[in-house]
Amino acid sequence: MEKYYVEVKAYPTIGILLLGGVSDNSKRIPRHTTAGIAYTGLDDGIYVKTNLYLSNKRSGIINGKEVSHDAPRSPFIVIDKYKEEILQRHPEYSEISFISENKNIISGSSDAGAAAIGECIESIFEYNINIFNFENDLQKISESAGRSLYGGFTINHANGKDSLTDEILSPEAFNDFVIVGCKFSEVRKPSDVIHDNIVNHEKYAERVKNSEIRSKELEKLASNGDIKGIFEMGEKDTNEYHSMLKAVGVQIITDEMQKFIEKLIELKNDFWNAYIVTGGTNVFVAVEKNNMEKIKKVALDFGSEPVYLKVAGKPDVISKNF
């Protein structure tokens, strides 16, 4: 371990109102309002762990691979902005480096990676950080980083120019529910393929307009403690989102996933469930705890690899010496 360091765990995310379209490839500010949750395993075993440390040779490693400081979405974009102030206390060092590793993540790892870097910086920064600007900085790494930065259930109000995440519900509000993450493939479309194509749909402007209306509906559901309603809105949004993507030539849902979804719809006659498909080949199924084993059994029948998930909180500082 380096002499001066901070180590943080942050948690990946799942969309509820799904994002399609960012302002540009640099700022990556969402073009419309979205919502989502942070998640981990029931044993807290799903996360990104990041160690930020002072050094005299710049190094950035993600999952064992070196990352260039000028690579697109590089964490150094944010680190370098705050480097000078951090190093003032330790002039014997000239660089800030990091090592980041994903642990058992199904989807949403970039949000967790960005939030982990953010928490590392915020926990050692001596000056006040403008949270509005700071979140926008982190979006340069991952456009929905706010979900992981705040944890729980969040809404990000955005219009392609400005963006700010609101904390809506804590993880404890979801204690009676489990999300079964059903993995169907390791292959996923790059997020930029989604962002670049969905904006060409003839109803994209309508989706942008409706996103703010739907966010208000989600806030009302949250204030009433209607967790089922929140997930049901996620399912409704999933269906619209993937219909639009398919129409512009981006197919995310495979035949196997579609057959599984059809089975989930059939199972609604027996017990409540709601499904969400984000940008990867995973089907996330929300159920009450007493029905999670039923979903797992069906998922196995369809050749999926199910994992039990719960809503997670904010990033945690594991250890620190600064």
Side-chain angles (χ1 to χ4, degrees), residues 30-32 37 74 83 86 97 101 116 147 156 190 196 199 207 211 217 239 248 261 266 305 307:
R31 287 179 177 267
H32 62 83
I37 53 173
S74 169
K83 181 172 76 171
I86 292 171
S97 298
E101 187 177 7
R147 296 175 187 170
N156 175 257
D196 292 346
V199 297
R207 177 168 175 79
S211 68
E217 294 174 7
N239 292 332
V248 296
I261 287 170
E266 181 184 323
E305 302 173 39
V307 180

Side-chain angles (χ1 to χ4, degrees), residues 49-53 59-64 97-101:
K49 183 170 72 172
T50 297
N51 177 15
L52 191 80
Y53 61 94
S59 175
I61 297 174
I62 298 177
N63 296 326
S97 298
F98 71 90
I99 299 172
S100 188
E101 187 177 7

Side-chain angles (χ1 to χ4, degrees), residues 48-80:
V48 165
K49 183 170 72 172
T50 297
N51 177 15
L52 191 80
Y53 61 94
L54 302 189
S55 63
N56 282 310
K57 181 181 179 182
R58 177 163 23 194
S59 175
I61 297 174
I62 298 177
N63 296 326
K65 296 182 179 180
E66 190 80 28
V67 177
S68 169
H69 71 278
D70 57 359
R73 303 172 67 179
S74 169
F76 285 117
I77 296 169
V78 180
I79 292 170
D80 287 351

Side-chain angles (χ1 to χ4, degrees), residues 1-10 48-53 99 116 119-121 123-124 315-322:
M1 188 71 74
E2 300 294 331
K3 185 174 181 180
Y4 296 108
Y5 70 91
V6 57
E7 195 171 29
V8 164
K9 277 184 181 179
V48 165
K49 183 170 72 172
T50 297
N51 177 15
L52 191 80
Y53 61 94
I99 299 172
E119 181 64 25
C120 284
I121 292 171
S123 72
I124 62 176
D316 300 311
V317 175
I318 307 167
S319 59
K320 175 181 170 182
N321 182 43
F322 248 91

Side-chain angles (χ1 to χ4, degrees), residues 145-162:
R147 296 175 187 170
S148 184
L149 189 65
Y150 291 102
F153 173 55
T154 53
I155 292 175
N156 175 257
H157 296 278
N159 57 13
K161 296 179 181 178
D162 300 307

Side-chain angles (χ1 to χ4, degrees), residues 44-253:
D44 301 311
I46 297 175
Y47 54 86
V48 165
K49 183 170 72 172
T50 297
N51 177 15
L52 191 80
Y53 61 94
L54 302 189
S55 63
N56 282 310
K57 181 181 179 182
R58 177 163 23 194
S59 175
I61 297 174
I62 298 177
N63 296 326
K65 296 182 179 180
E66 190 80 28
V67 177
S68 169
H69 71 278
D70 57 359
R73 303 172 67 179
S74 169
F76 285 117
I77 296 169
V78 180
I79 292 170
D80 287 351
K81 180 173 179 179
Y82 297 91
K83 181 172 76 171
E84 184 177 342
E85 286 87 349
I86 292 171
L87 292 178
Q88 281 179 356
R89 284 176 284 163
H90 302 284
E92 68 272 29
Y93 293 97
S94 59
E95 294 291 347
I96 299 176
S97 298
F98 71 90
I99 299 172
S100 188
E101 187 177 7
N102 297 354
K103 296 288 187 180
N104 307 312
I105 290 179
I106 302 170
S107 179
S109 60
S110 60
D111 289 347
I117 289 289
E119 181 64 25
C120 284
I121 292 171
E122 194 170 15
S123 72
I124 62 176
F125 202 71
E126 285 194 324
Y127 308 96
N128 290 330
I129 292 181
N130 181 307
I131 193 63
F132 176 81
N133 292 335
F134 192 51
E135 183 179 343
N136 285 181
D137 288 336
L138 295 176
Q139 285 174 321
K140 295 173 183 176
I141 304 174
S142 184
E143 52 271 21
S144 45
R147 296 175 187 170
S148 184
L149 189 65
Y150 291 102
F153 173 55
T154 53
I155 292 175
N156 175 257
H157 296 278
N159 57 13
K161 296 179 181 178
D162 300 307
S163 169
L164 187 65
T165 297
D166 288 335
E167 302 172 67
I168 306 299
L169 287 174
S170 70
E172 290 72 27
F174 296 83
N175 280 348
D176 294 334
F177 297 83
V178 166
I179 301 161
V180 187
C182 304
K183 301 182 288 183
F184 281 84
S185 171
E186 297 298 326
V187 179
R188 62 167 290 150
K189 294 278 195 308
S191 60
D192 284 340
V193 172
I194 293 171
H195 296 318
D196 292 346
N197 284 277
I198 196 169
V199 297
N200 297 319
H201 195 281
E202 61 181 2
K203 292 187 177 180
Y204 182 74
E206 183 179 336
R207 177 168 175 79
V208 170
K209 181 180 178 181
N210 286 339
S211 68
E212 190 63 30
I213 297 170
R214 290 172 182 174
S215 76
K216 299 301 181 188
E217 294 174 7
L218 282 170
E219 288 180 13
K220 186 175 180 180
L221 290 167
S223 67
N224 292 332
D226 189 352
I227 304 302
K228 287 183 178 180
I230 290 171
F231 283 121
E232 286 165 1
M233 184 167 285
E235 179 179 302
K236 180 180 178 181
D237 195 69
T238 280
N239 292 332
E240 178 184 286
Y241 182 76
H242 287 281
S243 173
M244 291 176 68
L245 284 175
K246 186 176 181 180
V248 296
V250 182
Q251 182 77 41
I252 304 292
I253 298 176

